[in-house]
Amino acid sequence: MEHRKISKHGHTMSSKDGFSDGEEDDFDTVEDTVTPETLEAIATLKASLVANPNLYEQHTQLIALLKGAVMLEELRAAREAMSTVFPLTEELWMEWIGDEANLATSIEEKKHLLELYERATSDYLSINIWKAYVDYAIQEYTEATEQGDSDPVVNKESLRALFKKADKFTGRHVPQSHLVWNVWRDFEVEQLELQDPPLPEDVSRVKAMYLNRIAIPHVELEDTFSSLSSFITQYEGESYEEAMVQCNSIASKTRRLLSALTPHEDELIATGNSLETLTKYLDNMTRKHSGEFALIRTLFERGLATHCLVPALWNDYVTFLLSLSPQKKEYDLAPQDVLNIAKRSIRNCPWSGDLWENLVLLMELQSKPQEEKDTVFTSALSDPTLLASPQEVVKVLMARCTSVYRQVSKGEEGHKQVREAFEHALSVIGAAGGDPYCRLERLWIELECNVYGDLDKTRELWKIVEVKQNKMADAWIAQADMERKLKNPKGARTVYSRAWQVAKTLDYPEKALEAWLEFERENGDLVAYKDALARVRSAMKSIEQLHAQAASIYPQDIVYEVDQPHAHAEAAVDTGVSRKRKMSAPDNEHASKVTKTDNDHSKGADKKHGAFDAKPLDISAGRHEDTCFVANFPDEMTEQRLKELFQEYGTVVRCTIPTRKAEKGKRQFAYIQFSSAEEAHAALALHGRDVGHRLGLSVRISDTTQKTRSTGGPPLPRVSRHEVHISGISNELKEDELQKLISLKDADAALTLNGTIFHGTELAVTRRVFKKEAQENTTRRDRRKHLQGDRQQEGEEGAGHGGEGSEKQQGEGAEAEGTRHAAEFLTSSGSDKKEAVESAAKSDAPATTEPKKPVVSLTSMQPRTMRPRPKPKMPNSHLKPPTKAFVPASAPAAEAQEGPGAGSSKDEAAAAPVVPKSNAEFRALMLSGALKKRG
């Protein structure tokens, strides 16, 4: 590291400047030479950051201006202020440390510099920072030794402790760890050479260093082995053969492991550390090399140094740490280390409710005081990026309420504290926009009913839920089930009767009506069952009429015609949304933090005057920055519900679902056009969001040039977020008994029951793993043929269709990933046993397949996804609608098709189908609404 003198104002003076120490005062007036424009810009940035400290770019701009103006004290304050809000990158830390190193001459200043190095190593894994750290420590130790300093800043003990810590956090960095370890080795060998003769204990210690090193895969393994051979020759020559046998035994195992890791390391380099490659690497490590805890942990750290704004990666990292027992010998982290990782995750992604919940869970596991946890919740609920997403706020509030419930006593005082926690939570979520799924209310209902037995409060809470979810069949069924649990069949019958009155407005009326009949079969007398049957049949007739009416409005065989384009108004102005943090790689574009500025009020004004509705639509091929391509949502999703979901991130100009729903095996996709590119990029945060589908929502910027699946976001989960598989259940076990066991657990907490002895048998609880439908009940040869056929088909389609057609293929061609057999155990999604069994019965599995265990509904706390009533299946619904059949909308277009010798009239030409000029034009016509049903 280059060291140069700096004046007291921070001005750098190298030897070529020709200034002596006595001329330092000449720089007292350096601030006076700063231009008024610079000073004004500094004042503006300071004021902006006082008002809103969460502006990443403004912090970096202020630091750059202060450094250029040589305002050292202000520069230090600005860097400290930024480091309290954001973790700093390697470049920012190295620049800061370099400036301070030029000034560090006193003991206090050198200690402060060492503290900066320590802080720098805690934000992200950086080999460069660690190497600079140990280099500086060695320099201070050497200088103190040469000068005979009795109280050095760095002594031999503290230096060796630093080396061990550096090796712990960098030693498993396969491509770069040698840069730090070699410094340690050279220091220790040099210390041995200074001894005459060398002490046996020091020789043994350095040899142990070598043996530990050759047991770790790293790119310079052979160089390390060669150096070890030379070391043994010099210090243990008399037992060289015996020692080398031991060394070869250790190194051979490491070589095999390194050989297995090398292809993944090469792919990481080739793809620029892409998130997709990193995820594949991590998956391979956790499956095939699960015992290499330190390697996997370091690989997570390496990935997060690049993809620090991907909440899913942080969540996977913390979950990995939670899933292992700290008692295992390879587990090399202290409890505080794990807690620090969770804290780092929320510093990077404070908008993720899952990461806040992880932190609280770890604090509770480590028995941290309630005051500390309250401080964490206060920080979470005051973060603007979290409050912008009500669904993430709910996760934090659920974590707080369950934490309070677990910690308080079970008496009256504890009951009071639990109520206060839920009341506070409901007020917070109400201010944040509300939760349509009523998860807090339902959890509270379960506690009041099953734990505290307060029936009046339970019914009071159900009234609140009923107002919010009066169109959800599941809500009515759950309310009736609660009355049945309370031995109040009359109350349950009243609930079903009220649900019958609003059956036409329910999302799944048939389900609620069937639940009523099932209830009366079990609990009602003949008269009650007769009355319910008559009312249900009457309601079903009305519902069937609605279905028939909908079928007449939405026929299956539709021919489209192209409407004349409307005049376009002037494009809407930019909304002024500024990006909070810059991404290190394009893969992470979807996870950017976004902070809204004061210009956001312009959205409402423009919308009021109709400017957005008339925004011109770009139909050219290429990347459309203001439009999101959305896939992997349920078949029942409507354009209106998609629009409501995406409006959280800006003004939605258009929302179009162009594919037909009747095609089996085809996934839907949609285009969401925003008023600005910034809003579209902000909406990428929805990638992976659970919208009722077992896989997360797929969201990316529309790009007509892409021919493959986008890798612009975290991969969709291969395991369920809300479902677990339970085996080892006793044949005599009743469903109600299993429900009581996990009535207060979600899918994550239910995993802790793995290995529990229940009713004489050991339960095995794992997350549900989704299989590809096309691979179920098939041989390996059949799967290979199926894969080859898919690849050949993709090649043919890619040759004939480019541009936006690839987006369409992405939305339609991966149903094997989205459609699953429902023969696993459903938990927190709220699906009951009957529905899952029916779904499994409709699957493509052969009739001779051995039936799987019945589905056990583990908890009713998590509500079902709100989905609209599915449209009726019409005749010929298996036929693919002619999406490429168009007729021109004007006479000139018809005449353009007519040529000499055509042999047909103009009317016939006008009715003939034509194909759009490009897939981009097809997309544009769909998005603009210009395709109309032929009369």
Side-chain angles (χ1 to χ4, degrees):
M1 180 183 296
E2 181 182 2
H3 292 271
R4 295 172 294 172
K5 288 186 178 181
I6 296 184
S7 72
K8 64 182 179 181
H9 287 295
H11 186 84
T12 303
M13 296 185 300
S14 61
S15 58
K16 66 181 180 180
D17 291 329
F19 295 116
S20 65
D21 292 341
E23 293 175 319
E24 235 178 55
D25 291 338
D26 294 341
F27 295 90
D28 289 346
T29 59
V30 69
E31 295 181 17
D32 298 334
T33 64
V34 180
T35 63
E37 292 79 8
T38 301
L39 293 175
E40 182 179 357
I42 290 174
T44 301
L45 287 171
K46 284 183 177 180
S48 176
L49 291 172
V50 168
N52 184 1
N54 295 315
L55 302 175
Y56 188 87
E57 291 183 357
Q58 278 80 340
H59 279 287
T60 58
Q61 291 170 9
L62 178 60
I63 290 172
L65 287 176
L66 292 172
K67 183 176 175 64
V70 202
M71 302 170 67
L72 182 57
E73 293 304 323
E74 290 84 350
L75 178 60
R76 283 174 172 166
R79 283 168 167 164
E80 288 289 350
M82 183 178 184
S83 67
T84 59
V85 182
F86 299 107
L88 303 187
T89 63
E90 175 186 299
E91 294 77 10
L92 288 172
W93 273 119
M94 292 297 285
E95 183 182 83
W96 186 358
I97 290 171
D99 290 344
E100 295 293 342
N102 296 331
L103 297 172
T105 56
S106 66
I107 298 295
E108 291 73 17
E109 290 171 339
K110 291 179 178 180
K111 289 183 177 179
H112 174 65
L113 185 59
L114 289 171
E115 290 174 0
L116 284 181
Y117 270 119
E118 190 69 22
R119 289 168 58 187
T121 60
S122 65
D123 276 347
Y124 304 111
L125 174 60
S126 168
I127 297 297
N128 291 331
I129 290 178
W130 274 108
K131 186 177 185 305
Y133 190 3
V134 296
D135 282 342
Y136 178 75
I138 291 176
Q139 174 185 319
E140 286 299 318
Y141 170 77
T142 303
E143 291 179 357
T145 303
E146 292 174 351
Q147 297 171 5
D149 193 346
S150 60
D151 187 20
V153 176
V154 179
N155 56 37
K156 185 175 290 188
E157 290 74 20
S158 62
L159 181 58
R160 282 178 173 155
L162 173 61
F163 279 135
K164 290 181 180 179
K165 183 176 182 180
D167 184 58
K168 174 181 177 180
F169 291 107
T170 68
R172 271 74 174 179
H173 195 300
V174 177
Q176 295 182 350
S177 59
H178 62 279
L179 298 176
V180 177
W181 189 87
N182 288 354
V183 175
W184 184 15
R185 177 201 60 192
D186 293 344
F187 173 80
E188 294 291 355
V189 171
E190 182 180 344
Q191 295 300 306
L192 274 180
E193 292 173 350
L194 294 176
Q195 301 176 14
D196 188 21
L199 297 175
E201 58 268 23
D202 287 342
V203 173
S204 299
R205 182 169 47 78
V206 177
K207 180 183 176 182
M209 279 178 53
Y210 270 111
L211 294 179
N212 290 335
R213 183 61 176 164
I214 63 173
I216 299 171
H218 59 284
V219 294
E220 289 198 351
L221 175 62
E222 299 307 324
D223 291 340
T224 306
F225 188 82
S226 177
S227 177
L228 171 59
S229 177
S230 300
F231 178 86
I232 294 176
T233 301
Q234 181 177 356
Y235 293 100
E236 295 183 351
E238 68 282 355
S239 59
Y240 177 82
E241 296 296 336
E242 180 182 352
M244 291 308 296
V245 170
Q246 178 191 12
C247 296
N248 274 310
S249 176
I250 297 173
S252 61
K253 296 179 181 179
T254 310
R255 290 187 183 103
R256 289 194 295 270
L257 178 57
L258 180 60
S259 177
L261 302 184
T262 298
H264 296 284
E265 293 289 345
D266 293 342
E267 189 176 0
L268 270 181
I269 296 173
T271 60
N273 294 318
S274 73
L275 187 60
E276 181 184 18
T277 304
L278 174 69
T279 304
K280 287 169 53 180
Y281 194 176
L282 284 167
D283 180 64
N284 178 271
M285 290 295 296
T286 53
R287 285 187 296 106
K288 298 183 178 180
H289 310 286
S290 57
E292 299 291 340
F293 171 80
L295 271 175
I296 298 173
R297 171 182 59 75
T298 304
L299 184 56
F300 269 114
E301 291 286 356
R302 291 168 58 189
L304 289 166
T306 301
H307 307 289
C308 59
L309 299 183
V310 181
L313 188 57
W314 284 105
N315 196 36
D316 289 345
Y317 186 16
V318 178
T319 302
F320 165 73
L321 298 176
L322 287 170
S323 65
L324 299 179
S325 171
Q327 280 71 41
K328 291 188 175 181
K329 62 178 182 179
E330 62 269 13
Y331 198 97
D332 62 349
L333 294 181
Q336 188 59 42
D337 293 332
V338 181
L339 193 63
N340 288 339
I341 292 170
K343 290 179 179 179
R344 288 167 53 209
S345 71
I346 61 172
R347 274 172 58 80
N348 284 272
C349 306
W351 62 88
S352 171
D354 291 324
L355 300 183
W356 287 102
E357 184 178 10
N358 291 340
L359 176 57
V360 174
L361 178 60
L362 281 167
M363 295 179 71
E364 194 169 338
L365 288 171
Q366 297 181 18
S367 302
K368 298 296 181 181
Q370 185 64 39
E371 294 76 16
E372 290 187 23
K373 290 184 287 183
D374 290 340
T375 301
V376 169
F377 285 120
T378 301
S379 299
L381 299 177
S382 61
D383 190 282
T385 60
L386 178 72
L387 294 175
S389 176
Q391 299 306 314
E392 299 302 314
V393 175
V394 169
K395 297 177 182 179
V396 177
L397 296 173
M398 293 272 286
R400 182 177 188 275
C401 291
T402 53
S403 176
V404 170
Y405 168 71
R406 286 190 294 266
Q407 296 299 312
V408 301
S409 63
K410 305 305 178 184
E412 186 62 30
E413 183 62 27
H415 187 190
K416 179 181 178 182
Q417 294 179 33
V418 170
R419 280 190 174 180
E420 290 175 351
F422 275 102
E423 289 170 354
H424 173 262
L426 290 179
S427 65
V428 172
I429 192 58
D435 175 26
Y437 304 107
C438 298
R439 284 169 285 185
L440 284 165
E441 292 92 333
R442 290 207 173 192
L443 175 58
W444 193 2
I445 286 171
E446 292 290 333
L447 294 178
E448 292 288 356
C449 178
N450 300 328
V451 178
Y452 298 114
D454 191 329
L455 306 186
D456 293 336
K457 187 64 177 180
T458 301
R459 293 188 174 96
E460 177 186 336
L461 291 172
W462 263 120
K463 291 180 180 179
I464 299 175
V465 174
E466 185 180 320
V467 172
K468 297 180 180 180
Q469 297 186 334
N470 59 349
K471 290 181 171 56
M472 293 180 61
D474 283 338
W476 291 100
I477 295 172
Q479 186 176 359
D481 285 344
M482 183 271 296
E483 295 290 350
R484 182 164 55 176
K485 289 179 183 178
L486 298 177
K487 309 298 183 183
N488 183 19
K490 182 178 180 181
R493 187 172 292 112
T494 301
V495 172
Y496 279 123
S497 177
R498 287 161 51 208
W500 169 80
Q501 295 174 3
V502 296
K504 294 181 181 179
T505 66
L506 296 181
D507 52 355
Y508 293 103
E510 298 90 345
K511 186 175 181 179
L513 297 174
E514 177 59 33
W516 187 10
L517 291 181
E518 185 176 353
F519 166 78
E520 294 297 354
R521 293 187 189 106
E522 296 176 3
N523 301 276
D525 54 21
L526 180 61
V527 176
Y529 177 72
K530 181 260 299 180
D531 292 342
L533 184 64
R535 297 168 77 179
V536 167
R537 287 177 176 174
S538 174
M540 288 302 300
K541 270 192 176 180
S542 301
I543 293 169
E544 289 171 0
Q545 291 175 358
L546 290 176
H547 287 179
Q549 183 180 1
S552 64
I553 297 176
Y554 302 103
Q556 294 297 313
D557 298 326
I558 299 176
V559 177
Y560 295 96
E561 63 181 5
V562 182
D563 211 4
Q564 286 293 338
H566 299 287
H568 298 304
E570 192 172 356
V573 297
D574 194 292
T575 58
V577 177
S578 67
R579 189 160 299 193
K580 184 174 179 182
R581 295 181 63 185
K582 290 186 176 180
M583 302 302 300
S584 302
D587 302 55
N588 297 343
E589 191 176 37
H590 68 284
S592 301
K593 293 185 183 178
V594 176
T595 303
K596 298 184 179 180
T597 67
D598 294 336
N599 293 333
D600 289 347
H601 67 275
S602 63
K603 298 177 187 176
D606 288 342
K607 186 175 181 182
K608 182 177 180 180
H609 291 87
F612 291 148
D613 293 335
K615 182 180 180 181
L617 182 66
D618 181 11
I619 66 172
S620 61
R623 185 175 174 89
H624 301 268
E625 299 292 342
D626 65 344
T627 303
C628 288
F629 177 78
V630 184
N632 211 42
F633 49 82
D635 293 340
E636 297 82 7
M637 180 67 74
T638 64
E639 293 177 353
Q640 180 61 30
R641 289 191 61 228
L642 266 182
K643 184 176 181 180
E644 293 173 355
L645 179 64
F646 279 81
Q647 276 179 340
E648 180 181 341
Y649 296 89
T651 301
V652 176
V653 178
R654 294 179 180 86
C655 176
T656 303
I657 304 178
T659 56
R660 303 298 302 164
K661 299 181 180 180
E663 299 178 70
K664 183 178 181 181
K666 301 294 185 182
R667 287 200 305 166
Q668 294 193 98
F669 61 96
Y671 293 104
I672 312 290
Q673 186 183 18
F674 287 88
S675 62
S676 69
E678 288 81 1
E679 294 174 343
H681 281 269
L684 295 177
L686 285 172
H687 186 87
R689 174 75 64 85
D690 184 357
V691 289
H693 203 282
R694 289 171 185 159
L695 299 178
L697 198 66
S698 174
V699 185
R700 65 176 176 83
I701 296 298
S702 176
D703 190 346
T704 63
T705 62
Q706 290 190 0
K707 296 184 179 181
T708 59
R709 286 193 63 134
S710 169
T711 59
L716 298 176
R718 297 299 302 163
V719 296
S720 175
R721 294 187 182 95
H722 307 299
E723 306 174 36
V724 296
H725 182 279
I726 302 180
S727 59
I729 302 175
S730 171
N731 293 332
E732 291 77 21
L733 181 63
K734 295 182 180 180
E735 181 177 330
D736 290 343
E737 295 175 340
L738 187 59
Q739 283 181 333
K740 292 178 182 178
L741 175 65
I742 53 148
S743 60
L744 296 179
K745 297 181 182 292
D746 57 23
D748 292 328
L751 296 176
T752 61
L753 296 175
N754 185 44
T756 302
I757 303 299
F758 191 61
H759 280 247
T761 62
E762 181 177 350
L763 298 181
V765 185
T766 59
R767 288 192 181 277
R768 179 183 178 191
V769 179
F770 296 128
K771 300 178 181 179
K772 292 188 176 181
E773 182 182 33
Q775 295 182 359
E776 291 189 354
N777 305 308
T778 59
T779 64
R780 181 179 298 179
R781 179 177 298 177
D782 292 337
R783 292 197 295 270
R784 188 181 299 114
K785 289 181 179 179
H786 180 74
L787 178 61
Q788 292 174 350
D790 286 348
R791 290 176 176 172
Q792 181 178 0
Q793 182 179 0
E794 290 175 1
E796 294 173 354
E797 293 179 352
H801 302 284
E804 195 65 29
S806 300
E807 286 187 348
K808 185 177 180 182
Q809 293 166 15
Q810 176 187 344
E812 298 177 349
E815 183 61 17
E817 188 177 357
T819 304
R820 313 287 177 189
H821 289 292
E824 298 284 348
F825 295 84
L826 310 181
T827 58
S828 58
S829 61
S831 301
D832 57 20
K833 176 171 61 179
K834 180 178 179 180
E835 182 186 12
V837 172
E838 290 177 351
S839 178
K842 296 177 182 178
S843 67
D844 297 331
T848 58
T849 303
E850 182 181 354
K852 297 186 178 181
K853 292 183 179 180
V855 177
V856 181
S857 177
L858 299 184
T859 176
S860 61
M861 291 187 300
Q862 296 291 341
R864 289 176 179 269
T865 305
M866 293 194 304
R867 293 179 292 178
R869 184 188 317 119
K871 293 182 180 179
K873 192 170 185 180
M874 302 305 299
N876 300 326
S877 61
H878 63 284
L879 299 178
K880 183 177 182 179
T883 56
K884 293 185 178 180
F886 297 88
V887 293
S890 60
E895 293 172 0
Q897 299 181 37
E898 185 178 12
S904 61
S905 65
K906 291 185 178 182
D907 292 337
E908 293 172 338
V914 295
V915 179
K917 296 179 181 179
S918 68
N919 288 298
E921 182 178 344
F922 173 82
R923 165 197 174 278
L925 293 171
M926 281 293 188
L927 188 58
S928 63
L931 294 184
K932 299 175 62 178
K933 289 181 292 186
R934 187 176 177 184

